[in-house]
Amino acid sequence: MEILETLRNELTGFFSIDGLVEIIRSGDYHSLRTWKGIQTALSPLIPFIVIIEILLAFAHKNFNRAEYKIPFFIYIFNRIIGKFISFGVVAFCIGLFSPYALLPVSLTWYWFIYGYIVWEFAHFIYHFLAHKVRLFWCLHSSHHAPEQMNLSVTYAHFFLEGPYADFIRTSICILAGVPPVMLFAIMFVDGTWGGFIHVGENFMKNARFGFLGKFILTPSHHRVHHARNPLYMDTNFCNLLNIWDRVFKTYQPEQDHIAIQYGITRSINAGNFFDVYFGEFYYLAKDVARAPGIKNKFLYLIMPPGWNHTGNHMLAKDLRQQYLKTHAGKPSMDSPPDGDRRKSA
C-alpha cells in the first residue's frame, strides 16, 4: 500500500493536480479569482498536453518510444536529487540582492510589463551563456540532445541547470527592482509558456502563429533554437518576448526550405541516459586533462563549445557566418557539416 501511495503522489505531483482536486472537492471556486487560484488551475496544462501529444502520435501511427524515454528518465532522476535546490537559490538571491534594488517597483500592470521585459533580458543572458560558455553548455546540453521535438523535452534538463539559471535570472530581476511577488508570477507565466513552446508536430504542425510571431517567441522559433543546422545554431534565446533576440541580432525565423534537424552536432547516443546527461562533462574533462598549461585548461571551461587551444576549430558562430556567405539567397536542405563534437546546437 505504501508503494501505491508513493506512486499516486508522484503522478499527482507530475500533473500538478493536488490543488485543483482540492478546489473541486471543496466546491469553493472563489479562489480561481486570485492569482494563486489561476496558477493552481493552469499548472496541469503542460503535463496533460504531453499525454494528448502521445495519444496523437499513436493515432498517427508514428509514436516512437525512444523520443520520450530519456526525457522521462531525466525527469525521474531530477525529482530525486534536485527537487529543492532551485527554490533555495531563488530565496538566497532575493535575500541577498533586495537591499540593492535600483528602482522602487510597485505591483501595477505597467510595472509588470517592465518586470517581464527585465525577466526576458535575464533569461536571454542565462540562455546565451549556456550556449557560449563550455561549462554552462555541459549543464544545458541535455536539453538539446533529443533528436525529436515534443513536450517531454521540456523536462530534459541537468539537475544543476535550474539553480544556475535561477541565480542569474533572479539576481538581475531583484537588482532591477522586480518585487518577489511579481517575480513569482512572471516565473509561472514563463514556465508555462516555456513548456508549451516545446510542443511537437504531432500536436501542432505549423507553429508560427501568424502575425503574433513577429512579437512573441513561438514553438516554431523554439524548434529553430533546438536545431543543429548551421543557419539555426545559437539563435532565438528568448522565451516569450523575442525583443532581446532582435536587439542582439540572434533572431531567426524558421525557413520553409530548411528542414529542422534536432540534436547536437557531436556523435551522441540519444537513447543512452549517461551519454545524454553526462557526455559533455566527459568530453570537457578529457579536453582539460590534455590541455597544456593552466591557462588552456581554464580556457576550455569558459570558451565556447568547440573551442580548441590550437586554434583549429569552427565555432557555432563561424558555421553560421560561413553558411550565410555561401548560401545567401539559395534555398538549401543541407545537413550541418561534420564538425567538432562539442559545438552547441
Side-chain angles (χ1 to χ4, degrees), residues 174-213:
I174 294 299
L175 286 171
V178 180
V181 173
M182 181 182 291
L183 177 62
F184 292 141
I186 291 171
M187 283 180 168
F188 174 74
V189 175
D190 177 86
T192 302
W193 185 257
F196 174 72
I197 57 178
H198 293 88
V199 67
E201 293 186 5
N202 285 323
F203 188 87
M204 185 178 293
K205 185 72 174 176
N206 185 329
R208 288 178 171 86
F209 291 3
F211 80 96
L212 287 177

Short mmCIF file of all heavy atoms in Angstrom, two decimals, residues 174-213:
data_model
loop_
_atom_site.label_atom_id
_atom_site.label_comp_id
_atom_site.label_asym_id
_atom_site.label_seq_id
_atom_site.Cartn_x
_atom_site.Cartn_y
_atom_site.Cartn_z
N ILE A 174 15.85 41.05 -9.29
CA ILE A 174 15.80 41.68 -7.97
C ILE A 174 16.61 42.97 -7.96
O ILE A 174 16.17 44.00 -7.43
CB ILE A 174 16.30 40.71 -6.88
CG1 ILE A 174 15.35 39.51 -6.75
CG2 ILE A 174 16.42 41.42 -5.54
CD1 ILE A 174 13.93 39.86 -6.35
N LEU A 175 17.78 42.96 -8.58
CA LEU A 175 18.59 44.18 -8.66
C LEU A 175 17.88 45.27 -9.47
O LEU A 175 18.06 46.46 -9.22
CB LEU A 175 19.95 43.88 -9.28
CG LEU A 175 20.94 43.14 -8.38
CD1 LEU A 175 22.16 42.71 -9.17
CD2 LEU A 175 21.35 44.03 -7.20
N ALA A 176 17.07 44.86 -10.44
CA ALA A 176 16.31 45.83 -11.25
C ALA A 176 15.05 46.30 -10.55
O ALA A 176 14.31 47.12 -11.11
CB ALA A 176 15.96 45.21 -12.60
N GLY A 177 14.79 45.78 -9.35
CA GLY A 177 13.66 46.26 -8.56
C GLY A 177 12.40 45.44 -8.65
O GLY A 177 11.38 45.80 -8.06
N VAL A 178 12.41 44.33 -9.39
CA VAL A 178 11.22 43.49 -9.52
C VAL A 178 10.93 42.85 -8.16
O VAL A 178 11.76 42.10 -7.64
CB VAL A 178 11.42 42.40 -10.58
CG1 VAL A 178 10.17 41.53 -10.69
CG2 VAL A 178 11.77 43.02 -11.93
N PRO A 179 9.76 43.13 -7.56
CA PRO A 179 9.46 42.58 -6.24
C PRO A 179 9.22 41.07 -6.32
O PRO A 179 8.79 40.55 -7.35
CB PRO A 179 8.19 43.31 -5.82
CG PRO A 179 7.58 43.79 -7.09
CD PRO A 179 8.70 44.02 -8.05
N PRO A 180 9.52 40.33 -5.25
CA PRO A 180 9.38 38.86 -5.27
C PRO A 180 8.02 38.36 -5.71
O PRO A 180 7.92 37.39 -6.46
CB PRO A 180 9.69 38.47 -3.82
CG PRO A 180 10.63 39.54 -3.35
CD PRO A 180 10.13 40.80 -3.99
N VAL A 181 6.94 39.01 -5.25
CA VAL A 181 5.60 38.55 -5.63
C VAL A 181 5.41 38.63 -7.14
O VAL A 181 4.90 37.70 -7.78
CB VAL A 181 4.51 39.38 -4.90
CG1 VAL A 181 3.13 39.03 -5.43
CG2 VAL A 181 4.58 39.15 -3.40
N MET A 182 5.84 39.74 -7.73
CA MET A 182 5.75 39.89 -9.18
C MET A 182 6.68 38.89 -9.87
O MET A 182 6.31 38.31 -10.91
CB MET A 182 6.13 41.32 -9.58
CG MET A 182 6.03 41.58 -11.08
SD MET A 182 6.55 43.27 -11.52
CE MET A 182 5.21 44.22 -10.81
N LEU A 183 7.85 38.68 -9.32
CA LEU A 183 8.80 37.74 -9.90
C LEU A 183 8.23 36.33 -9.97
O LEU A 183 8.36 35.64 -10.99
CB LEU A 183 10.10 37.74 -9.09
CG LEU A 183 11.19 36.76 -9.55
CD1 LEU A 183 11.64 37.09 -10.97
CD2 LEU A 183 12.37 36.79 -8.58
N PHE A 184 7.56 35.89 -8.90
CA PHE A 184 6.98 34.54 -8.89
C PHE A 184 5.87 34.42 -9.92
O PHE A 184 5.71 33.38 -10.56
CB PHE A 184 6.46 34.20 -7.50
CG PHE A 184 7.55 34.05 -6.46
CD1 PHE A 184 7.37 34.52 -5.17
CD2 PHE A 184 8.75 33.46 -6.81
CE1 PHE A 184 8.38 34.39 -4.24
CE2 PHE A 184 9.77 33.32 -5.87
CZ PHE A 184 9.58 33.79 -4.57
N ALA A 185 5.08 35.49 -10.10
CA ALA A 185 4.03 35.48 -11.13
C ALA A 185 4.65 35.38 -12.52
O ALA A 185 4.18 34.61 -13.37
CB ALA A 185 3.17 36.73 -11.02
N ILE A 186 5.71 36.13 -12.74
CA ILE A 186 6.41 36.08 -14.04
C ILE A 186 7.00 34.70 -14.27
O ILE A 186 6.93 34.16 -15.37
CB ILE A 186 7.50 37.17 -14.09
CG1 ILE A 186 6.86 38.56 -14.15
CG2 ILE A 186 8.41 36.96 -15.29
CD1 ILE A 186 7.85 39.71 -13.98
N MET A 187 7.58 34.12 -13.23
CA MET A 187 8.15 32.78 -13.35
C MET A 187 7.09 31.75 -13.76
O MET A 187 7.37 30.85 -14.55
CB MET A 187 8.78 32.35 -12.02
CG MET A 187 10.12 32.98 -11.73
SD MET A 187 10.76 32.39 -10.13
CE MET A 187 12.46 32.97 -10.21
N PHE A 188 5.89 31.90 -13.22
CA PHE A 188 4.83 30.96 -13.57
C PHE A 188 4.44 31.10 -15.03
O PHE A 188 4.31 30.11 -15.76
CB PHE A 188 3.62 31.19 -12.67
CG PHE A 188 2.43 30.35 -13.07
CD1 PHE A 188 2.40 29.00 -12.79
CD2 PHE A 188 1.36 30.91 -13.75
CE1 PHE A 188 1.33 28.21 -13.18
CE2 PHE A 188 0.27 30.14 -14.14
CZ PHE A 188 0.26 28.78 -13.84
N VAL A 189 4.25 32.35 -15.49
CA VAL A 189 3.91 32.58 -16.89
C VAL A 189 5.02 32.05 -17.79
O VAL A 189 4.78 31.35 -18.78
CB VAL A 189 3.67 34.08 -17.16
CG1 VAL A 189 3.43 34.33 -18.64
CG2 VAL A 189 2.48 34.58 -16.34
N ASP A 190 6.25 32.38 -17.42
CA ASP A 190 7.40 31.97 -18.21
C ASP A 190 7.52 30.45 -18.26
O ASP A 190 7.78 29.87 -19.32
CB ASP A 190 8.67 32.57 -17.61
CG ASP A 190 9.93 32.13 -18.34
OD1 ASP A 190 10.27 32.78 -19.34
OD2 ASP A 190 10.56 31.14 -17.89
N GLY A 191 7.33 29.79 -17.12
CA GLY A 191 7.44 28.34 -17.08
C GLY A 191 6.36 27.65 -17.90
O GLY A 191 6.63 26.65 -18.58
N THR A 192 5.14 28.19 -17.85
CA THR A 192 4.04 27.59 -18.61
C THR A 192 4.28 27.76 -20.11
O THR A 192 4.17 26.80 -20.88
CB THR A 192 2.71 28.25 -18.22
OG1 THR A 192 2.50 28.08 -16.81
CG2 THR A 192 1.55 27.60 -18.96
N TRP A 193 4.63 28.97 -20.53
CA TRP A 193 4.89 29.20 -21.95
C TRP A 193 6.15 28.47 -22.39
O TRP A 193 6.21 27.91 -23.48
CB TRP A 193 5.02 30.69 -22.25
CG TRP A 193 5.16 30.97 -23.71
CD1 TRP A 193 6.30 31.28 -24.39
CD2 TRP A 193 4.12 30.92 -24.70
NE1 TRP A 193 6.05 31.46 -25.72
CE2 TRP A 193 4.69 31.22 -25.95
CE3 TRP A 193 2.75 30.65 -24.64
CZ2 TRP A 193 3.96 31.27 -27.12
CZ3 TRP A 193 2.01 30.69 -25.81
CH2 TRP A 193 2.62 30.99 -27.04
N GLY A 194 7.16 28.48 -21.52
CA GLY A 194 8.41 27.81 -21.84
C GLY A 194 8.24 26.31 -22.03
O GLY A 194 8.99 25.68 -22.78
N GLY A 195 7.25 25.72 -21.35
CA GLY A 195 6.93 24.32 -21.59
C GLY A 195 6.19 24.15 -22.91
O GLY A 195 6.52 23.27 -23.72
N PHE A 196 5.23 25.02 -23.15
CA PHE A 196 4.37 24.89 -24.33
C PHE A 196 5.15 25.02 -25.63
O PHE A 196 4.83 24.35 -26.62
CB PHE A 196 3.27 25.94 -24.28
CG PHE A 196 2.42 25.97 -25.53
CD1 PHE A 196 1.52 24.95 -25.79
CD2 PHE A 196 2.56 27.00 -26.45
CE1 PHE A 196 0.75 24.96 -26.95
CE2 PHE A 196 1.79 27.02 -27.60
CZ PHE A 196 0.88 25.99 -27.86
N ILE A 197 6.18 25.87 -25.68
CA ILE A 197 6.89 26.09 -26.94
C ILE A 197 7.68 24.86 -27.39
O ILE A 197 8.23 24.85 -28.50
CB ILE A 197 7.83 27.32 -26.89
CG1 ILE A 197 8.84 27.18 -25.75
CG2 ILE A 197 7.01 28.60 -26.80
CD1 ILE A 197 9.83 28.34 -25.69
N HIS A 198 7.71 23.82 -26.56
CA HIS A 198 8.34 22.56 -26.98
C HIS A 198 7.34 21.60 -27.63
O HIS A 198 7.69 20.45 -27.91
CB HIS A 198 8.98 21.87 -25.77
CG HIS A 198 10.16 22.61 -25.21
ND1 HIS A 198 10.02 23.60 -24.24
CD2 HIS A 198 11.49 22.54 -25.49
CE1 HIS A 198 11.22 24.08 -23.94
NE2 HIS A 198 12.13 23.47 -24.69
N VAL A 199 6.13 22.06 -27.86
CA VAL A 199 5.11 21.18 -28.43
C VAL A 199 5.58 20.64 -29.78
O VAL A 199 6.20 21.35 -30.58
CB VAL A 199 3.77 21.94 -28.58
CG1 VAL A 199 3.86 23.05 -29.61
CG2 VAL A 199 2.62 20.99 -28.88
N GLY A 200 5.31 19.36 -30.01
CA GLY A 200 5.78 18.71 -31.23
C GLY A 200 4.81 18.84 -32.39
O GLY A 200 3.68 19.34 -32.25
N GLU A 201 5.24 18.36 -33.54
CA GLU A 201 4.44 18.47 -34.75
C GLU A 201 3.23 17.54 -34.73
O GLU A 201 2.28 17.77 -35.48
CB GLU A 201 5.30 18.19 -35.98
CG GLU A 201 6.36 19.26 -36.20
CD GLU A 201 7.13 19.07 -37.49
OE1 GLU A 201 6.77 18.15 -38.26
OE2 GLU A 201 8.09 19.82 -37.74
N ASN A 202 3.25 16.51 -33.90
CA ASN A 202 2.05 15.67 -33.77
C ASN A 202 0.88 16.47 -33.22
O ASN A 202 -0.28 16.22 -33.56
CB ASN A 202 2.34 14.48 -32.85
CG ASN A 202 3.18 13.41 -33.53
OD1 ASN A 202 3.02 13.16 -34.71
ND2 ASN A 202 4.09 12.81 -32.78
N PHE A 203 1.20 17.43 -32.35
CA PHE A 203 0.15 18.25 -31.74
C PHE A 203 -0.11 19.52 -32.54
O PHE A 203 -1.24 19.97 -32.66
CB PHE A 203 0.55 18.62 -30.31
CG PHE A 203 -0.53 19.30 -29.52
CD1 PHE A 203 -1.46 18.55 -28.81
CD2 PHE A 203 -0.62 20.68 -29.48
CE1 PHE A 203 -2.46 19.18 -28.08
CE2 PHE A 203 -1.62 21.31 -28.75
CZ PHE A 203 -2.55 20.55 -28.05
N MET A 204 0.95 20.11 -33.12
CA MET A 204 0.82 21.38 -33.83
C MET A 204 1.84 21.41 -34.97
O MET A 204 3.03 21.59 -34.74
CB MET A 204 1.06 22.55 -32.87
CG MET A 204 0.82 23.91 -33.47
SD MET A 204 1.07 25.21 -32.22
CE MET A 204 -0.30 24.87 -31.11
N LYS A 205 1.36 21.21 -36.17
CA LYS A 205 2.26 21.14 -37.32
C LYS A 205 2.88 22.49 -37.63
O LYS A 205 4.09 22.65 -37.63
CB LYS A 205 1.48 20.62 -38.54
CG LYS A 205 2.33 20.38 -39.78
CD LYS A 205 3.20 19.15 -39.62
CE LYS A 205 3.94 18.82 -40.91
NZ LYS A 205 4.87 17.68 -40.73
N ASN A 206 2.05 23.47 -37.93
CA ASN A 206 2.54 24.82 -38.21
C ASN A 206 2.42 25.63 -36.94
O ASN A 206 1.32 25.90 -36.46
CB ASN A 206 1.72 25.46 -39.33
CG ASN A 206 2.28 26.82 -39.73
OD1 ASN A 206 2.85 27.53 -38.92
ND2 ASN A 206 2.11 27.18 -41.00
N ALA A 207 3.53 26.02 -36.39
CA ALA A 207 3.52 26.69 -35.08
C ALA A 207 4.08 28.11 -35.16
O ALA A 207 4.72 28.58 -34.23
CB ALA A 207 4.32 25.86 -34.09
N ARG A 208 3.83 28.79 -36.27
CA ARG A 208 4.34 30.15 -36.43
C ARG A 208 3.43 31.21 -35.81
O ARG A 208 3.87 32.31 -35.51
CB ARG A 208 4.54 30.45 -37.92
CG ARG A 208 5.71 29.69 -38.56
CD ARG A 208 5.79 30.02 -40.04
NE ARG A 208 7.00 29.51 -40.68
CZ ARG A 208 7.14 28.29 -41.16
NH1 ARG A 208 6.11 27.44 -41.10
NH2 ARG A 208 8.26 27.90 -41.72
N PHE A 209 2.14 30.92 -35.68
CA PHE A 209 1.16 31.82 -35.04
C PHE A 209 0.94 33.12 -35.79
O PHE A 209 0.59 34.14 -35.19
CB PHE A 209 1.56 32.13 -33.60
CG PHE A 209 1.46 30.96 -32.66
CD1 PHE A 209 1.10 29.69 -33.10
CD2 PHE A 209 1.74 31.13 -31.32
CE1 PHE A 209 1.01 28.62 -32.23
CE2 PHE A 209 1.65 30.05 -30.43
CZ PHE A 209 1.29 28.80 -30.91
N GLY A 210 1.14 33.12 -37.11
CA GLY A 210 0.80 34.28 -37.92
C GLY A 210 1.51 35.54 -37.48
O GLY A 210 2.70 35.53 -37.17
N PHE A 211 0.76 36.65 -37.42
CA PHE A 211 1.37 37.95 -37.10
C PHE A 211 1.89 38.00 -35.67
O PHE A 211 2.80 38.77 -35.35
CB PHE A 211 0.36 39.08 -37.34
CG PHE A 211 -0.63 39.25 -36.24
CD1 PHE A 211 -0.42 40.20 -35.25
CD2 PHE A 211 -1.79 38.48 -36.19
CE1 PHE A 211 -1.34 40.38 -34.23
CE2 PHE A 211 -2.71 38.65 -35.17
CZ PHE A 211 -2.49 39.60 -34.19
N LEU A 212 1.34 37.15 -34.78
CA LEU A 212 1.83 37.14 -33.39
C LEU A 212 3.29 36.74 -33.32
O LEU A 212 4.01 37.14 -32.41
CB LEU A 212 0.98 36.17 -32.54
CG LEU A 212 -0.43 36.63 -32.19
CD1 LEU A 212 -1.14 35.53 -31.41
CD2 LEU A 212 -0.39 37.92 -31.36
N GLY A 213 3.73 35.94 -34.29
CA GLY A 213 5.11 35.52 -34.32
C GLY A 213 6.10 36.63 -34.49
O GLY A 213 7.31 36.44 -34.27
#
